[in-house]
Amino acid sequence: MVDRMSLEEAEGGIRAVVLYDGRLLLVPEGDGWGLPSGTPQPAETPQAAAARIVYEVTGYLVDGTEPLGPGEAAETAVVCQLLSESPSDGGRFTPDRGARMEETADTPLPSTVRAYLQGHTPV
């Protein structure tokens, strides 16, 4: 069965859920931390948009693998697998900022992401 979200153009915003070594990749957002996020380009799938956004924001290569579906404000969260252990030279991200799952309790995350993380053991 083909996932409809992989065939359709992404709408709204995209938030990338990058899990690695028991941590969730967070980036500076306002006065705190949040998921890498951005707007998809025309005809870009949620998975492709998530991979591009993570690379542009952090310098890390990821593979957008699993859309979690539209959440609040028509945003789509996409689970991504980390493909590189360090960011590219142009990355604008401090690579040591990953929060362990228990440290994300005060981080504002979309409900679809919270539901995914509950009981999930990241790889």
Side-chain angles (χ1 to χ4, degrees), residues 13 64 100 123:
R100 295 218 175 270
V123 292

Side-chain angles (χ1 to χ4, degrees), residues 7-37:
L7 296 176
E8 294 175 357
E9 181 177 314
E11 295 180 11
I14 299 290
R15 291 191 176 268
V17 181
V18 183
L19 304 170
Y20 67 100
D21 193 26
R23 294 178 173 272
L24 177 65
L25 180 67
L26 298 175
V27 297
E29 182 178 89
D31 292 335
W33 296 91
L35 299 171
S37 61

Side-chain angles (χ1 to χ4, degrees), residues 48-119:
R52 176 185 53 78
I53 290 163
V54 170
Y55 183 75
E56 288 175 355
V57 172
T58 70
Y60 281 101
L61 292 174
V62 300
D63 181 17
T65 58
E66 180 183 349
L68 296 178
E72 297 89 12
E75 287 190 331
T76 298
V78 177
V79 175
C80 299
Q81 297 299 314
L82 190 65
L83 300 177
S84 60
E85 292 186 23
S86 59
S88 69
D89 290 338
R92 303 181 313 229
F93 174 71
T94 305
D96 60 355
R97 183 57 180 146
R100 295 218 175 270
M101 292 302 118
E102 62 272 10
E103 297 172 340
T104 65
D106 295 331
T107 303
L109 298 174
S111 59
T112 54
V113 174
R114 282 267 176 235
Y116 177 78
L117 294 176
Q118 286 183 337

